[in-house]
Amino acid sequence: MASQHTPALPVLGSRKPSHRERVADALRAALIAGELLPGEVYSAPGLAARFGVSATPVREAMLDLAKEGLVDTVPNKGFRVTAVSEKQLDEYTHIRALIEIPTTAGLAATADPVALEALRPVAQEIVTSAAAGDLIAYVEADLRFHLGLLALAGNDHLVDVVRDLRRRSRLYGLTALVEQGRLEASAEEHLEILDALLARDEEAVRAVMTRHLSHVRGLWAAP
């Protein structure tokens, strides 16, 4: 059964997000983690009760997600989560690998060690969330970590492209990994990535990132 933890709403970037944006981020994470299932219709009041917020920001956030194609509006009922095909997920992951692996590996030669160390608490948050079985917090922290790394390359458009691809990903296998006690080991790869970057070991970064992204359609994908 999917985790019912109340999500810790994320903060992305230097600008403090609005409440509506924070709710939208948490809902996206719930979609990615499989907390909200494709084909299911969810009402704003029902989601508001689950997330511990009022219905208005949830309704506004779901309208934002509808514009992104992540949900469809169902008149007088709520919002239906759109299905994503296996082919689409494979394509998203392929594009992500083409962008994220070389970009992150390249940071071994260019990234400021202070900026890299600043991401360690986020990497640790991923591990902590995995150990607690909090899938929404896990996905939120994972997004912040990887987008934070990519931002160090100085290409804002690249970060936006990867953000969109990650939001469209689905990781329905996370619940099973939590139940099997295997997600924490996978989460620790984020610390491996940081350590390899700080060691200026580009090949090690490439190897860990390749293994890490292979989980998207492997360990983290199977229902």
Side-chain angles (χ1 to χ4, degrees), residues 24-161:
D25 285 334
L27 289 169
R28 289 189 193 94
L31 284 171
I32 294 168
E35 299 278 350
L36 303 180
L37 299 174
E40 292 290 324
V41 176
Y42 297 91
S43 70
L47 289 172
R50 177 171 170 177
F51 280 72
V53 296
S54 64
T56 297
V58 170
R59 188 175 292 106
E60 293 173 342
M62 291 299 275
L63 288 172
D64 290 339
L65 269 59
K67 293 176 183 177
E68 297 170 15
L70 302 180
V71 298
D72 294 320
T73 302
V74 181
N76 302 318
K77 290 187 177 180
F79 302 88
R80 179 183 291 110
V81 177
T82 57
V84 184
S85 71
E86 295 294 309
K87 182 176 185 294
Q88 286 174 305
L89 292 173
D90 286 339
E91 290 173 348
Y92 298 157
T93 305
H94 182 213
I95 297 169
R96 283 178 55 189
L98 291 175
I99 297 172
E100 293 188 59
I101 293 173
T103 302
T104 304
L107 292 174
T110 63
D112 178 358
V114 175
L116 291 171
E117 279 294 352
L119 288 168
R120 191 172 294 277
V122 185
Q124 188 58 55
E125 185 181 337
I126 298 170
V127 176
T128 301
S129 299
D134 191 337
L135 299 185
I136 295 178
Y138 177 95
V139 169
E140 290 172 344
D142 179 74
L143 180 68
R144 280 186 282 133
F145 178 84
H146 286 286
L147 295 186
L149 274 183
L150 294 174
L152 298 180
N155 187 328
D156 292 341
H157 184 64
L158 180 149
V159 175
D160 287 340
V161 169

Side-chain angles (χ1 to χ4, degrees), residues 210-223:
T210 300
R211 173 171 24 110
H212 188 65
L213 279 182
S214 73
H215 299 330
V216 175
R217 298 299 293 139
L219 282 177
W220 301 340

